[in-house]
Each structure stands twice: as C-alpha cells, then as structure tokens.
Amino acid sequence: MKILDKYLLKTFLTTFTTVFVILFFIFILQTVWLFIAELAGKDLDLLMIIKFLAFSMPRIVPLVLPLSILLSSIMTFGNLAENYEFAAMKSSGISLQRAMRSLTVFIVLLSIVAFLFSNNVIPYAEYKFINFRKNIAQVKPALAITEGQFSDVGFYNIKVNKKTGDNGNILTGVTIHKKSNVGDGSKTVITAKDGELISSEKSSILQLVLNDGNYYEDIVPKKYEDRNKMPFIKSSFKKHIINIDLSELNNVDVNDESVANTNTMLTVNELNYTLDSLNKNLKNDIISFSENSNSRIRIPVSNKKDLKKGKSLPKDILSIYTKSEQIEILKIASSTISSTIYAIDTTEIELKNKQKNINNHLLAFYDKFVIVFACFLMFFIGAPLGAIIRKGGLGLPIVFAILIFITFHFINTFGKRIAQENGMTPFLGAWLSSILLTPLAIILTYRATNDIGLINIDVILAPFQKIFKKIFPPQN
C-alpha cells in the first residue's frame, strides 16, 4: 500500500506543481496588465518594478491555489480512470476513499500552510504593496495623477481624462476638487479643458497650469433655512495657476511605511482587536446620537403658572402663549425639525459607512478560514469528478475546472458584495460559495464511490416511462 500511496502522491504533486506555476504566471500577467499604466513610461528602475510585482504576488495565491487543486485533482484521477488503473485498484479491493487517503493528508498539510500564508504573508505583502505604490507617487509627482480617476495630491483631488507628453505632464479634461480646511468635504470645484504639470527636482512646488476653465465655489449661508438653496459662485478663466506644496511628499524614502489601517493588512488577532474597537465605537456613536437628539428639543416657558404640575392643559396648548411667543415656538419647532432631519440623514450615512467598515473587516477575517475549506472542497469535487468522467490531460478537465471555479468565484464575490451593504451577514457572505458547493462535493464522492456515473439517465427517463405506460398500456 505504501507503493500505491507514493505513486498517487508523486503523480498528484507533479500535476499540481505544473498547474500552479502556469496559473500563477497567468495571474501575474493579469496584475501587470492592471497596473501597466502606473509602471510604463514612468522612469522607474528595474529594482522598483521587481519590488512592485513581488509585493503583489502573494495576493494571487488565494485565487490560484483552489483552482490548482481542483484542476490537478481532475487530471490526476481522470488519468487513473482513463488508463484503467482504478479498475485494477478496485479489483484488488482498494476503494476510491482508500486511494484518496494519502492525498487527503497532503491537502490537510497544504490547508494549514495556506492558512499560515493567508494570515501572515499576505497581510505583510499587502502592507508593503500599498505603501510602495503610495511612496512611488510621492517620489515621482507625475505618478500621483492617474487617468480616469481622482488622485489625492496635497489639498486637491485631481482627475484627468488623458495624459500625454514625454513625462505625462500634458493633461486633458481636468477636474479638481479642493479639500475644505475645516474637513467638511469639498466646497470648491475647478474644471479646465487642458493643463500642464510643471515640476523640478530642485523645487518642492508642483505647478499646475490650467487653460480655458471654470471655477465653482459653494457658499454656506449663516441661516440654516437658506442652505437648501445651495448658493455658489461661478467664474471663468483663460489661465489659472495652482501651486501644490510637495515638500512633505518628496521628503520620504520609498521604504517609508505609513499606511497600516486596511483590513487586508491585518492578521486574525489584529482583526479581532480591531473589530472589538470598531463595534464599541459604533455603539457609542448610536448612544451619543440618541442622547443629543433628545437634548435638541426645547420650548420657551414664560407662563410657568399655567404649566404647574397637576393642572390640566388645554387641547390647543399654544393658546396659553401670546402671539409673539407662538410665532417664536413655531419657528423653533420648524428649525428643530429641519436640523434633526439633517442630523439623522448625516448620522445615518456615517453609521452605514462604519458598519460597512466593520463588514469588510469581518469578511477579511472569514476569508482566512475560507481558503482552508476551499482547498478541501476543490479536492473532494475534483477527485471524484475525475474518476467519473475518466478523462485526463488538458481537454475536458479544464472545461469542468473553469466552470466550477467560475461558479465558486462568482458566488463568493456576489456574497461579499451583498454582505458589505448589509444585505446578509458577513459570515454568510464569506461562506456562501462553500455552503452551496459542498453538496456537489458530497454527491460526486457518493456517485464515484458507487460507480453511478455523472448523470443517471434512468432516473431522468423513469417518470416519462411511467407516463407513457399509462397513456399507452401494454396489450396482452
């Protein structure tokens, strides 16, 4: 039996290593394609590009590993069945479960390694990757502005439709949001037909020259009732120059690491600690808002003698006040209602964002365990499926592997998206794909063990045969 275990393990490992390397290389090419705009033509040396790719590699493993296990399992057991090696095993009294035993032990060890990798290596690599991208943009200001999306540069968020020129310094379709000094969002928007970035290695000032544009600035009235009118100032210009101070950005080393607060950078213990803090913060915000809402309600009381304890109040409570007091009370009530509605809407958005942040941390927490179960799941889908279809090589196994993995990945992505928006619990969102595909693994293992085949035609045709016999009974 040891000879058989060694043979199966060697066959599986050979196939698994080959498949893993090929798929890993394909996903690396996809990463290069996604970030080619940040790397190409930016005067980056080879070492920086290698670091960039090295830090992005570990995040690919959770995608490549389950797919590699699935495909190699189908190919290995498909080859054994196609070459009648399974038939020889069964004739010797060796069942499918016994043949899978040594590989199951290997999958257990591989799952443990996958968890340790997901819990330690991936957070560290993600931490280095995000900081490295941030610091590249700081050292080379031309990199700080990316086409088609808003880029954070100093006190400005800048978006350009297209960048041209030798160093990408000619900008077309410029939109700029200037950050507010008091931290209440963007009150100033600048648009321009085109512009030019002018910078020098000797100067810490990045000069942005804009041509043919408009300048919009929101005005916040002192009276709250006038804020719904949303007044603003608009002006146009032929040429406008913005000086951006990059002294703090350029005074960094590419190895400086300041971003360390995203959920993908945390281990299980760190996620537990962070989640505890986030949940306490959310509860405190809810309690604080409810208490502050009650304190907003106030009514001026001048006729205290009419509001003494035990004295019945008239149906029209305003009648105990003078006309001027009634007008004042109604104004206060109207203002209180408007401010309360505004506070409720604002707080609701803030609480939703905080809950979404908690959900993202929970999803990151569960993901570290999902990859462990995914290794088992893909093996117990691929091994019996290969034994049933009895095809090895790179033909039919690839078709089945891609279909199953796309289903798994689609459900996983769908569940996470819904969980982020509180459509379902983060636990269910993270485990949804595993829960739905586990019955498939059980069914395939059962059918492969009992030599039933992938589809039992008799089960499908039996109901139709019964109906046919009732309509056309056999004649004696």
Side-chain angles (χ1 to χ4, degrees):
M1 299 300 292
K2 290 183 178 180
I3 297 175
L4 177 62
D5 290 336
K6 288 181 179 179
Y7 173 71
L8 291 174
L9 190 59
K10 180 181 177 181
T11 305
F12 180 82
L13 282 174
T14 303
T15 307
F16 173 78
T17 304
T18 304
V19 170
F20 184 84
V21 171
I22 293 173
L23 292 177
F24 195 81
F25 179 74
I26 292 173
F27 278 89
I28 284 293
L29 291 179
Q30 182 194 27
T31 302
V32 173
W33 179 258
L34 289 175
F35 296 104
I36 191 67
E38 296 187 24
L39 301 176
K42 305 301 182 183
D43 196 27
L44 298 177
D45 57 70
L46 181 61
L47 181 60
M48 293 180 71
I49 295 176
I50 292 175
K51 281 185 177 181
F52 185 92
L53 294 176
F55 293 148
S56 66
M57 287 180 183
R59 62 164 60 184
I60 300 172
V61 173
L63 284 174
V64 176
L65 185 60
L67 180 57
S68 299
I69 292 175
L70 175 63
L71 183 55
S72 56
S73 299
I74 297 175
M75 292 174 64
T76 299
F77 284 83
N79 277 325
L80 293 173
E82 187 178 16
N83 297 326
Y84 299 100
E85 291 175 285
F86 262 135
M89 293 180 195
K90 291 179 181 179
S91 64
S92 302
I94 301 172
S95 64
L96 176 64
Q97 286 86 351
R98 176 61 189 86
M100 293 170 60
R101 186 181 300 175
S102 60
L103 295 180
T104 303
V105 174
F106 171 74
I107 295 298
V108 170
L109 297 175
L110 187 62
S111 300
I112 295 173
V113 173
F115 173 77
L116 295 175
F117 187 89
S118 177
N119 190 47
N120 297 284
V121 178
I122 292 179
Y124 176 77
E126 193 72 13
Y127 170 73
K128 301 287 287 186
F129 179 72
I130 293 178
N131 278 282
F132 193 74
R133 286 183 64 195
K134 173 178 174 285
N135 292 330
I136 286 176
Q138 290 175 343
V139 173
K140 297 182 178 293
L143 273 175
I145 300 176
T146 306
E147 287 185 1
Q149 66 184 47
F150 280 99
S151 303
D152 191 359
V153 183
F155 289 98
Y156 301 89
N157 282 319
I158 303 174
K159 177 184 176 183
V160 299
N161 295 334
K162 190 176 181 181
K163 293 172 62 177
T164 55
D166 296 336
N167 298 316
N169 60 324
I170 306 300
L171 313 178
T172 305
V174 184
T175 303
I176 301 174
H177 289 183
K178 185 179 180 180
K179 300 176 186 177
S180 174
N181 294 328
V182 295
D184 59 345
S186 175
K187 301 295 183 184
T188 304
V189 179
I190 304 171
T191 61
K193 183 178 180 182
D194 55 61
E196 182 180 3
L197 279 173
I198 302 174
S199 62
S200 173
E201 295 181 0
K202 298 179 181 179
S203 174
S204 61
I205 300 298
L206 176 65
Q207 195 174 71
L208 179 56
V209 181
L210 302 176
N211 303 314
D212 298 328
N214 296 297
Y215 185 96
Y216 307 88
E217 184 174 0
D218 292 336
I219 299 175
V220 181
K222 293 182 179 179
K223 294 183 178 180
Y224 181 80
E225 304 86 53
D226 296 333
R227 294 183 183 179
N228 292 329
K229 298 178 182 179
M230 299 180 181
F232 67 93
I233 297 174
K234 177 184 176 182
S235 62
S236 59
F237 57 84
K238 288 293 182 181
K239 186 175 182 179
H240 182 63
I241 299 176
I242 299 176
N243 293 318
I244 304 173
D245 186 8
L246 297 177
S247 57
E248 295 183 0
L249 298 180
N250 285 332
N251 190 24
V252 297
D253 181 11
V254 291
N255 295 316
D256 177 50
E257 296 161 357
S258 57
V259 179
N261 57 356
T262 66
N263 47 42
T264 56
M265 298 179 186
L266 305 177
T267 63
V268 169
N269 292 332
E270 292 169 342
L271 283 168
N272 272 325
Y273 178 81
T274 305
L275 282 168
D276 184 61
S277 300
L278 291 174
N279 282 312
K280 287 181 179 178
N281 182 263
L282 180 62
K283 290 179 181 178
N284 291 336
D285 285 348
I286 294 173
I287 294 172
S288 176
F289 176 73
S290 62
E291 293 176 349
N292 292 335
S293 296
N294 293 330
S295 66
R296 289 191 182 96
I297 302 173
R298 62 184 182 89
I299 297 177
V301 178
S302 60
N303 300 333
K304 293 184 178 179
K305 62 181 181 179
D306 295 329
L307 297 176
K308 289 182 179 179
K309 185 177 181 181
K311 186 175 181 179
S312 60
L313 298 175
K315 292 183 179 179
D316 185 8
I317 195 171
L318 288 175
S319 62
I320 66 176
Y321 295 96
T322 64
K323 290 292 183 181
S324 60
E325 288 176 336
Q326 289 178 12
I327 293 172
E328 182 184 357
I329 289 173
L330 292 175
K331 285 183 177 180
I332 292 173
S334 177
S335 177
T336 301
I337 291 172
S338 299
S339 62
T340 302
I341 292 174
Y342 177 79
I344 290 173
D345 292 339
T346 304
T347 305
E348 183 183 13
I349 294 173
E350 292 177 356
L351 294 179
K352 281 183 178 179
N353 289 333
K354 289 187 176 183
Q355 185 61 53
K356 185 176 180 179
N357 189 31
I358 292 174
N359 292 342
N360 286 331
H361 280 77
L362 284 170
L363 289 171
F365 177 83
Y366 294 131
D367 275 346
K368 299 184 186 302
F369 299 94
V370 169
I371 188 176
V372 176
F373 185 76
C375 294
F376 282 98
L377 182 63
M378 292 304 162
F379 176 72
F380 282 97
I381 290 177
L385 183 60
I388 291 172
I389 64 176
R390 299 178 182 179
K391 288 289 183 181
L394 297 174
L396 194 59
I398 289 183
V399 176
F400 277 103
I402 291 176
L403 289 176
I404 293 171
F405 184 76
I406 287 177
T407 303
F408 176 84
H409 187 64
F410 174 79
I411 297 173
N412 189 42
T413 304
F414 175 78
K416 288 180 179 179
R417 295 287 185 185
I418 297 298
Q420 286 176 348
E421 304 297 333
N422 278 330
M424 63 175 66
T425 63
F427 177 84
L428 183 60
W431 287 94
L432 184 62
S433 56
S434 300
I435 293 171
L436 293 180
L437 289 182
T438 296
L440 176 63
I442 296 172
I443 292 171
L444 289 175
T445 303
Y446 173 79
R447 298 181 77 87
T449 303
N450 294 278
D451 291 326
I452 297 177
L454 188 61
I455 300 176
N456 192 344
I457 302 298
D458 293 335
V459 174
I460 299 175
L461 295 179
F464 297 99
Q465 290 176 350
K466 290 181 181 179
I467 295 172
F468 185 80
K469 286 180 180 180
K470 287 183 180 179
I471 298 175
F472 303 102
Q475 297 180 355
N476 294 329

